[in-house]
Amino acid sequence: TVNCDDIPNAPTNIIASDNCDEEIIVSLEESITEGNCDYNYVLIRTWKAIDDCGNEATKAQLITIQDLEAPVFDSEPRDIAIGCEETIPTPSSLTATDNCGTATITLEEEIIEGICEDTYDIVRTWTATDDCGNSTTTSQTISIGDSAVPEITNLPADVTVSCDNIPAAV
């Protein structure tokens, strides 16, 4: 049993001997029994030796090939924090490498509400899935916050007045 990227080569030095013939040709045939995906299957190698009288011997090797490794993301997004007035960045176009084939990448976004209207988190989750269903995920959290202190404007200037001339509140 081997991983799909570690299939051994067929040996070329297989020999056969016989009590009457000095040299017997050995032939190799390969066949495949399909599995549940392109990279899960059984490779059957059958060596056949036939002597000059038509006597035949066969030996088989079964190699079970499996894809058990999930794809690997080529890069990981980083978490960021921005203010509510800033532009939310577009999702990154992530890629992934798979040892046996290609990976399909999907993206899901979830919004988690914060303590007030202008604060929340966006959680982006990318999933890379190969042809045999192995998958891996990576995520990014974008925290949107409102940390700016309100600014009071249009204040009247400080004045000094006598106690009997206090201005009314505006």
Side-chain angles (χ1 to χ4, degrees):
T1 300
V2 297
N3 203 8
C4 57
D5 60 349
D6 199 25
I7 301 169
N9 292 324
T12 58
N13 59 347
I14 303 295
I15 57 171
S17 60
D18 185 69
N19 63 340
C20 296
D21 297 318
E22 288 185 27
E23 187 175 315
I24 298 175
I25 307 256
V26 178
S27 63
L28 170 64
E29 292 181 16
E30 290 186 338
S31 62
I32 291 177
T33 301
E34 299 293 332
N36 61 347
C37 69
D38 288 345
Y39 299 101
N40 286 344
Y41 59 94
V42 176
L43 173 62
I44 304 157
R45 291 182 174 156
T46 305
W47 286 271
K48 186 184 295 185
I50 302 174
D51 68 12
D52 288 339
C53 294
N55 297 313
E56 182 178 303
T58 60
K59 293 287 182 177
Q61 176 189 36
L62 301 177
I63 302 172
T64 302
I65 290 92
Q66 299 177 328
D67 180 4
L68 300 175
E69 288 185 35
V72 177
F73 281 100
D74 298 325
S75 64
E76 300 275 334
R78 61 181 180 80
D79 294 344
I80 59 173
I82 60 174
C84 60
E85 74 285 355
E86 294 180 65
T87 302
I88 297 170
T90 58
S92 299
S93 294
L94 298 183
T95 58
T97 304
D98 187 57
N99 63 324
C100 296
T102 58
T104 302
I105 298 176
T106 58
L107 169 64
E108 292 183 16
E109 263 188 9
E110 176 185 10
I111 295 177
I112 300 170
E113 297 299 329
I115 58 172
C116 63
E117 183 178 333
D118 291 327
T119 62
Y120 56 98
D121 288 339
I122 299 173
V123 179
R124 293 176 173 162
T125 303
W126 289 264
T127 302
T129 306
D130 68 15
D131 295 334
C132 291
N134 301 307
S135 65
T136 188
T137 62
T138 188
S139 63
Q140 174 189 46
T141 300
I142 302 171
S143 297
I144 294 90
D146 181 4
S147 59
V149 177
E151 184 178 324
I152 300 173
T153 59
N154 298 331
L155 285 176
D158 291 340
V159 293
T160 303
V161 295
S162 63
C163 65
D164 61 346
N165 199 15
I166 299 174
V170 181

